[in-house]
Amino acid sequence: MRLMSRSSRILNALSAVALSLGLLSIAGPATSATPAGWLRLAHLSPNTPPVDVYLYSLGNPKARVVLHHVSYGTVSPYLRAAAGVYTVEMRPAGATASSPPVLSTAVHVHAGDAYTVAGMGPAKGLRLQVLTDRLTSPPGHAMVRVIQASMREHLVTVRAGSSVIGTKLPFATATAYRAVPMGRLTIRAVGENEHALSTVTLNSGTIHTLVILDRSRHLGIDDLTDAAGTRFHPRTAPETGLGGTAPPRRPSSITWLAFIAAGLLLAGSGLVRFRRSRPSGGSGGSSLQASTSESATR
Amino acid sequence: MTRGRHASRPGRPAGLITLLAGSLVALGGLAGLVSGAVTSGSGYQGGPIPHVHAPRGRAAMLASASQDGQVPAPLFLVIPAIGVHTRLIRLRTAGDGSMEVPQHANVAGWYAASARPGAIGPAVIAGHVDSLTTPGVFVGLKYLRPGDLVYVVRADVSVVRFVITAIQLYAKDAFPSAAVYGPVPYAAIRLITCGGAFDYATGHYLSNVVAFGYQVGRGYSRHRGHRSE
């Protein structure tokens, strides 16, 4: 039940995000072939009302992306961003784009890297934190980190199966990534008064962030996939062709040169034979008969 | 006399015939050499590109970090730029640890151990460049260009749209497994076929053509927008 309400809530939030992306992305993120990194935006401050999140590339006053009415617990999809420096600003939901932002921070996006920019902390001490997201995991393992975004429980201990991911994590902090064995794992988040349980499937080659959230009545765990690879890496390159459109097999130039040489030899020997068989001293006009008799004489 | 005729006659015509035959062989060799030099590397030059429309349907949302496992299965692949419109079969991992490839050259397959198109991770799709005699479904893959769009229609009739970023040719013994199959933070697509030189001794191509792309979501697709620096 808990899961159901959680996913539907997140889906609603995501639809809202997608909708605002659709309506308000002013310019796409550079051309598809330029080196790019990835950026996602999150609201993880429990007592901060919904915000509008603006993404600018440095020096351009026009927002590249605006996410409207982003509420607590929302994490946007990763947005592709050409390598460079960006500014993220937060304004109260509905505030005009020209109004001064409540918060802003700069993010340096490197090609091939991924970042989460999250509004964290209590409303009064709200700050934008830039987290670098991991994109690789050791073979046979998944990587897991925790963002502790519960304010009701100031210290939370989180376990994935038998591995401890973080002990007494303070509110508004994030752990480093930890390798855990792949498989279905029970995640336990335990605070002083509340706790939460969630079962997640951690495939090999996946990287996850577990977000500990304040739900209306209890602690919640949101499992985010930061990155995923194929569950198995095939050992050989695929054989996807049988040659029907390949250039036809043709003899190499050496073969042709051999043909020419053999032909010349043959022609040469023929020529020699032809000349030898001519009547000695005979003129070019000698008839077949003459030649015949000449040979006969010999 | 008779004997004399027999002894003497073959000399001249035989010599003449040998001369002519030798010249013909040499000329043939020369012709072969020249034609080989002129047309070497030819083969299938590409037929007319069939006209294929982008599929209509509800555009899929950008892959989200929370939606894993809720993404519908892929059914069709459409690539208007190279006239591809194919059903997608499922490819599993074969017993020898390789990826299965489609049995028929005219259909592409989605690797079931890879991400579903539109979920975070690389969605791997393989198709043949040719059969023994005919062009395959991915014969035009090497002609894709960055910016070309690729569509996958899923079981719920939603359409996932990808934009191509790169097309690369890799020798099979240097196949970039990590780049193709490794983790990515977004919904990616990898289209794979064969290419490069064909080895008649083994009956296989020596290289793979791989096209890389990423999902563009609802409205978030104007990639030729201005750059702001």
Side-chain angles (χ1 to χ4, degrees), chain A residues 71-94:
Chain A
S71 56
Y72 172 62
T74 304
V75 179
S76 83
Y78 277 105
L79 311 172
R80 188 182 156 95
V85 180
Y86 293 81
T87 312
V88 175
E89 293 183 353
M90 277 189 174
R91 296 186 170 78

Side-chain angles (χ1 to χ4, degrees), chain A residues 51-241:
Chain A
V51 292
D52 294 341
V53 186
Y54 292 69
L55 177 69
Y56 304 86
S57 50
L58 191 72
N60 184 357
K62 257 187 164 178
R64 177 157 272 183
V65 173
V66 186
L67 307 182
H68 282 275
H69 208 85
V70 179
S71 56
Y72 172 62
T74 304
V75 179
S76 83
Y78 277 105
L79 311 172
R80 188 182 156 95
V85 180
Y86 293 81
T87 312
V88 175
E89 293 183 353
M90 277 189 174
R91 296 186 170 78
T96 57
S98 55
S99 66
V102 178
L103 273 179
S104 75
T105 190
V107 194
H108 195 159
V109 173
H110 296 272
D113 286 348
Y115 308 86
T116 301
V117 182
M120 288 172 70
K124 281 198 170 164
L126 186 64
R127 66 183 197 281
L128 274 166
Q129 190 157 337
V130 180
L131 304 170
T132 302
D133 302 337
R134 195 183 158 108
L135 298 178
T136 54
S137 73
H141 286 74
M143 299 298 287
V144 174
R145 103 182 138 183
V146 172
I147 297 179
Q148 209 292 69
S150 162
M151 200 160 79
R152 279 206 310 266
E153 291 292 340
H154 267 264
L155 297 171
V156 178
T157 296
V158 181
R159 285 187 184 81
S162 54
S163 323
V164 179
I165 308 295
T167 308
K168 295 195 171 171
L169 299 170
F171 170 52
T173 58
T175 68
Y177 285 95
R178 243 193 96 115
V180 296
M182 55 180 270
R184 265 178 90 75
L185 284 183
T186 303
I187 309 293
R188 285 185 181 78
V190 181
E192 223 167 78
N193 305 307
E194 297 178 28
H195 72 279
L197 279 182
S198 172
T199 306
V200 299
T201 304
L202 304 174
N203 289 317
S204 167
T206 59
I207 295 98
H208 296 251
T209 294
L210 303 171
V211 187
I212 312 302
L213 295 167
D214 282 334
R215 303 285 186 215
S216 51
R217 279 192 215 130
H218 52 81
L219 214 54
I221 301 172
D222 191 10
D223 168 29
L224 303 175
T225 303
D226 296 351
T230 60
R231 286 191 294 285
F232 181 81
H233 288 207
R235 291 207 185 90
T236 52
E239 297 295 359
T240 40

Side-chain angles (χ1 to χ4, degrees), chain A residues 14 28 30 32 57 60 78 80 225-228 230-231 235-240 242-245 247 249 263 267 277 288 295, chain B residues 8 12 19 22 42 44 64-65 97-98 112-113 128-132 147 165 172 181 184-185 193-194 200 208 214 222-223 228:
Chain A
L14 285 169
S32 58
S57 50
N60 184 357
Y78 277 105
R80 188 182 156 95
T225 303
D226 296 351
T230 60
R231 286 191 294 285
R235 291 207 185 90
T236 52
E239 297 295 359
T240 40
L242 292 171
T245 62
R249 174 160 39 176
S277 63
L288 182 64
S295 304
Chain B
S8 64
R12 286 200 69 178
L19 173 65
S42 77
Y44 181 73
S64 106
S98 66
H128 287 276
V129 64
D130 56 27
S131 69
L132 275 170
T165 54
K172 288 208 166 151
Y181 305 121
V184 289
T193 192
C194 279
Y200 278 92
N208 282 108
Y214 64 93
R222 291 171 52 196
H223 295 273
S228 45

